[in-house]
Amino acid sequence: MIIDFNSETSRISSTVYDVAIAGGGPAGITLALALATTGQRVALLEGGGLAFEAVSEDMYEGVSTGETYYGIASRLRYLGGASNHWMGRCGSLDDIDFQSRSYRLLPGWPISRSEVYRFGAHAARVVDLKGFTFRPPSGRSLRSSNFRLAQFDLSPPTRFLSKYLAPLRRTPTLDCFLHANLTNIDANIAADRVNSFTVRNYNGHVAKLRARRFVVALGAIENARVLLNSNDVMKAGLGNLSDFVGRCFMEHLDVSIGRFISTNDGFWGRGPVDVSPSPELMLKHNINNGVLTLAPAASPQEFGRSAGLKRMLRHGACTFEATKVWGRKLYDFDCPGDSVITTMIEQVANPRSRITLTPERDTMGLHRISLAWHVDVRDLRSIEIMATELAKDFARQDIARIQIAPEVRNRTIRDFGLQSHHMGTTRMSRDARFGVVDADLKVHGIANLFMIGSSVFPTGGGINPTFTIVALTLRLAEHLKTKAA
Ligand SMILES: Cc1cc2nc3c(=O)[nH]c(=O)nc-3n(C[C@H](O)[C@H](O)[C@H](O)COP(=O)(O)OP(=O)(O)OC[C@H]3O[C@@H](n4cnc5c(N)ncnc54)[C@H](O)[C@@H]3O)c2cc1C
């Protein structure tokens, strides 16, 4: 049943649910349906409604204090979450992403790849993929031990609101409350058990939602934010035993790494190519994972708040041959029609890259966030080594000649594009000293509180996160049905 908490305020406190879930994005909706269809009594709280509303969206505003980050408010705050405008690119993390690697300094995943993707076939159905086998596009091959063709598939893309509204409405044991904002996680005095969620609508009405188990699925920024705001019994924020709540914020870096000239028409005839470093290359150089996209005759992209200005300068510089030369000398412009290389590079988990709270509060009374996003020297090194190895590899194979941008070679990149993949702020770790949730996604030290979403990723790998979020969600559903007390 769908209930608008702005107008119907009594039902939310009239039942003790088996599971209360906050957040109606891909994670929350998948979990609610997976549990309710097996008879569990489930409440799903969604802070927005069934369409974009400025008053809800405003709650996502925050400030960026590290590297300029213009993706804080790139999310959508209504039922379906960011899936209302995601691009649908899906893939799975590699085995190497789950391995412990000493240069990373923090422990990696406490579970194996096969444990996550036990739920791969089911996750594929959730996002309307034909199956759970990600392959490179057919008809292409790469003779290289350093790079492989990236493997992914495209969801239509599934809009969780349109696809799952009817099931949310008709599942008898599921109550989905709209305009129902989680504003506090109410723990007992020992901070080892949650008693209720405090929920608030847009007319100032406040209610307590009671359940046996509680799950937070608000996306990686809000997952950390609500724990930090819930500081009535733990001053540092609920679950913040080891000061890891909000730390290790990770993105996928979109960097213009250079231009290329194709030397093999047969290879480039099918358009852009996506390649990833091989596990051997990553291990040999201690570098991150990622995807490099080589697009022949591309339209270059601009990033950041000054994108409009950069577009104008680029247009001016690229119009004439003489100014093009100078434009490139001064700024290394890629001009329209150049063959350019862009990226989606993993970041190492870096505790300095961090979400904290500002004194300013939103209309629900929650402190807004400050994001100090940092790009580590290990990330810059990874980008430089990947670019250099790719240039050598493609020259050796006579596929292309690559010109690497000077700031990539010098490791002085300042202009980072991003993918709106927010990860890592409540990281999973077997040892409570290095994370927030355990291998079952239960918050360390709290018996009945679970987190889900890419906030729990200890590493981000070189692939888009949503397919893995959905697989992890289905694994959590199994745990809550069968094992959790
Ligand atoms: C432009 C764009 C393109 C993308 N493209 C891709 C792609 O191609 N492939 C890919 O894998 N990923 C992509 N992503 C990322 C993808 O959208 C996210 O990984 C995914 O939506 C995360 O799902 P989630 O349920 O964890 O969080 P969200 O989708 O953020 O959902 C969180 C939900 O919680 C609700 N909420 C927030 N605060 C509260 C509160 N206090 N109380 C109650 N409810 C609240 C929100 O309204 C929302 O419905 C893209 C993202 C963007 C922005």
Side-chain angles (χ1 to χ4, degrees), residues 23 25-27 46-47 60 74 77-78 81-82 85 87-89 182 464 466:
E46 168 52 50
Y60 273 168
S74 67
R77 200 175 183 280
Y78 62 99
H85 67 175
M87 309 293 283
R89 190 148 107 150
L182 170 64
N464 310 57
T466 309

Side-chain angles (χ1 to χ4, degrees), residues 187 233 243 267 305 343 353 374 387 410 437:
V233 286
D243 194 28
F267 184 81
R305 291 213 163 87
T343 64
S353 192
H374 288 285
N410 308 336
V437 298

